[in-house]
Amino acid sequence: MSGFENYDRETAELELQLQRKGIALNIDWNNAIQVREIACAALHCKPAVMDCDRHDPEQMARLDLYGIAQLMLRVMTESARDDILSHGGPIWKIFARALWAEHDAQVTAEKVRAGETAP
């Protein structure tokens, strides 16, 4: 509900989780190719149909990271609707840029497949 969200707190909590998952998964947030690949995987992730070994800490950390990506996108979208610019720290910004770039690339690819001209 508009006016009741604490976007600063939410982004800070998500930034902390990004830091933790990055350590667990050995992510180099300054490696643009690695981050873009993670963003692509996060946007394509469908947890309900994933065959994931719940006893494998790396697989679970990756699944958690994909969930964080979805939460990031939701916070940014909801805060934008409330005319609030939300972003976390440096890792958030790096990952958010990769998520949006991947999202835009997927939208463009879908338009091309549908026979529409690219924007």
Side-chain angles (χ1 to χ4, degrees):
M1 181 175 283
S2 182
F4 293 104
E5 296 289 333
N6 186 335
Y7 296 116
D8 289 338
R9 185 187 73 232
E10 289 181 36
T11 56
E13 289 172 4
L14 291 171
E15 173 83 12
L16 179 60
Q17 291 305 314
L18 285 173
Q19 291 172 356
R20 290 176 175 163
K21 298 307 172 194
I23 292 167
L25 295 167
N26 198 28
I27 296 171
D28 177 359
W29 293 108
N30 294 310
N31 181 330
I33 294 170
Q34 181 186 26
V35 174
R36 184 71 181 261
E37 289 172 352
I38 293 166
C40 180
L43 292 177
H44 285 98
C45 178
K46 306 234 183 314
V49 296
M50 279 186 70
D51 185 21
C52 187
D53 180 358
R54 303 241 181 244
H55 301 290
D56 183 331
E58 184 176 337
Q59 286 184 18
M60 295 308 298
R62 190 164 299 279
L63 187 60
D64 287 346
L65 180 65
Y66 298 161
I68 293 167
Q70 295 299 320
L71 290 172
M72 287 174 64
L73 291 170
R74 186 176 53 144
V75 167
M76 287 186 285
T77 300
E78 289 177 2
S79 66
R81 272 191 235 129
D82 290 339
D83 292 324
I84 298 170
L85 176 63
S86 288
H87 56 80
I91 293 173
W92 171 290
K93 292 173 187 170
I94 290 167
F95 196 32
R97 278 192 294 270
L99 287 166
W100 285 120
E102 188 60 33
H103 172 268
D104 291 346
Q106 290 177 17
V107 168
T108 299
E110 289 171 14
K111 286 182 179 183
V112 169
R113 280 193 297 273
E116 300 174 23
T117 59

